[in-house]
Amino acid sequence: MAHPISAFQAAYISIEVLIALVSVPGNILVIWAVKMNQALRDATFCFIVSLAVADVAVGALVIPLAIIINIGPQTEFYTCLMVACPVLILTESSILALLAIAVDRYLRVKIPVRYKSVVTPRRAAMAIACCWIVSFLVGLTPMFGWNNLNKMQRSQELNGSHTEFVITCQFETVISMEYMVYFNFFVWVLPPLLLMLLIYLEVFNLIRKQLNKKVSSSSNDPQKYYGKELKIAKSLALVLFLFALSWLPLHVLNCITLFCPSCQTPHILTYIAIFLTHGNSAMNPIVYAFRIKKFRTAFLQIWNQYFCCKTNKNATSTTMAETGN
């Protein structure tokens, strides 16, 4: 028999649903804007679409699964593991998309003349595919054996229980903290974040040098070209900062759980950390809308054309083409 939902769980579910209702439409709007606007068809925005796809999946898939885990249904071990793994896949996909975006911005300012010949649509698509393949491999590692099954079976044997092996489905019940800290955090989260920090520092350094020297570039106006690159780099660095701010608290709590088993972490801190990780998926469209003019223009055009009926399709297409010039 299912346990009744407590008032605390009801509040948790309500906040999660609210995050999903902001995240899913917002990131669909990002994908829609890139699809409609020719000015948003370069490699950077393709990587942003990959990030938006992951964020849509967080709202549409991970949050419902997180709600299920919070309720704690009685399931078989691998059923619960399948519920827990999608968040690992999508987190890694977001990190690798952010890394690809950082590398792309670096190449734009390091080799502006040769950029288009180096970063071709085919190579960008291959990079996105590789990011997702690695994400699935990293996120599904617990399914391949690095999980808590043996520990739970030994615990059941010590208790002398011979009943069918059914568990209360919780994330920490099935996912190994050694995997979360040593493999997920220390290998696939922290190093990419540090690498991105170094890349953006170098991007800002290169842009400022170029602005001071006024060197020639692929643009007729170097000052305008690098000024635009600086604005976009600042916006994307903000996306990275918000991602780190949202995800590091939960990983720090995982480290405390592993290295200090006797330490009691207040449940409210854990829930706040979870809300931050899920809420990050709703932040990016807001950043794009306020910080990147091409996105803001595209969002307004989509709103006017499809929701307010203020402009007809031909007028919108003409405006979008002008925006790309």
Side-chain angles (χ1 to χ4, degrees):
M1 180 180 289
H3 296 287
I5 296 175
S6 67
F8 187 84
Q9 285 180 315
Y12 165 80
I13 292 170
S14 299
I15 295 172
E16 288 281 38
V17 169
L18 180 62
I19 292 171
L21 290 176
V22 175
S23 176
V24 173
N27 285 286
I28 288 175
L29 190 61
V30 170
I31 298 167
W32 194 352
V34 173
K35 183 178 184 299
M36 288 188 61
N37 196 338
Q38 286 292 116
L40 298 173
R41 293 289 180 84
D42 62 17
T44 299
F45 297 107
C46 291
F47 295 132
I48 287 176
V49 165
S50 180
L51 181 60
V53 168
D55 287 337
V56 169
V58 169
L61 177 64
V62 169
I63 287 179
L65 294 179
I67 291 172
I68 291 172
I69 286 181
N70 181 261
I71 295 171
Q74 298 291 311
T75 66
E76 294 182 351
F77 184 88
Y78 277 98
T79 302
C80 184
L81 200 58
M82 289 177 64
V83 171
C85 281
V87 68
L88 303 174
I89 297 169
L90 296 171
T91 303
E92 191 55 40
S93 172
S94 297
I95 291 171
L96 294 179
L98 289 169
L99 179 58
I101 290 169
V103 172
D104 178 72
R105 301 322 296 185
Y106 173 76
L107 293 175
R108 277 181 174 274
V109 298
K110 183 68 175 178
I111 52 169
V113 177
R114 295 189 297 118
Y115 171 79
K116 288 189 176 180
S117 63
V118 172
V119 185
T120 62
R122 177 183 173 84
R123 288 174 180 170
M126 288 177 61
I128 291 170
C130 288
C131 288
W132 279 97
I133 290 170
V134 172
S135 300
F136 272 93
L137 291 175
V138 172
L140 291 177
T141 296
M143 294 292 295
F144 304 145
W146 197 344
N147 54 53
N148 287 337
L149 179 60
N150 291 335
K151 184 193 298 184
M152 297 202 66
Q153 286 176 334
R154 285 196 301 270
S155 177
Q156 187 180 38
E157 289 170 3
L158 289 173
N159 292 332
S161 175
H162 301 288
T163 58
E164 185 181 354
F165 190 58
V166 176
I167 64 168
T168 300
C169 186
Q170 299 287 339
F171 187 85
E172 291 184 19
T173 303
V174 294
I175 300 293
S176 164
M177 273 300 120
E178 286 82 3
Y179 160 81
M180 285 301 300
V181 173
Y182 292 126
F183 185 68
N184 189 279
F185 182 47
F186 287 167
V187 177
W188 291 104
V189 174
L190 194 57
L193 287 177
L194 293 175
L195 178 58
M196 282 183 268
L197 174 62
L198 294 175
I199 289 173
Y200 275 111
L201 289 175
E202 182 62 16
V203 166
F204 293 135
N205 183 48
L206 286 172
I207 289 174
R208 288 193 173 90
K209 281 183 179 178
Q210 303 291 11
L211 286 173
N212 290 335
K213 293 180 180 179
K214 298 184 180 181
V215 298
S216 61
S217 70
S218 57
S219 171
N220 293 328
D221 186 353
Q223 201 74 4
K224 181 179 178 181
Y225 176 83
Y226 287 107
K228 182 179 72 173
E229 287 300 317
L230 181 61
K231 284 186 67 176
I232 295 178
K234 284 181 178 179
S235 300
L236 296 174
L238 176 60
V239 170
L240 171 63
F241 173 76
L242 291 173
F243 182 90
L245 192 67
S246 299
W247 278 97
L248 287 177
L250 187 60
H251 284 289
V252 169
L253 291 178
N254 288 339
C255 290
I256 293 172
T257 300
L258 178 64
F259 298 127
C260 184
S262 62
C263 298
Q264 295 295 322
T265 304
H267 287 299
I268 189 65
L269 289 182
T270 303
Y271 278 105
I272 290 172
I274 291 171
F275 288 142
L276 282 173
T277 61
H278 295 166
N280 180 253
S281 299
M283 295 176 190
N284 293 341
I286 299 170
V287 173
Y288 303 149
F290 282 97
R291 300 278 307 183
I292 301 178
K293 185 178 179 181
K294 288 180 181 179
F295 266 119
R296 184 165 60 251
T297 303
F299 289 164
L300 289 173
Q301 288 166 343
I302 290 170
W303 174 260
N304 289 335
Q305 180 179 354
Y306 292 96
F307 299 100
C308 289
C309 301
K310 291 182 179 178
T311 58
N312 60 47
K313 192 170 184 177
N314 292 334
T316 302
S317 299
T318 302
T319 307
M320 284 187 173
E322 290 173 352
T323 305
N325 295 332

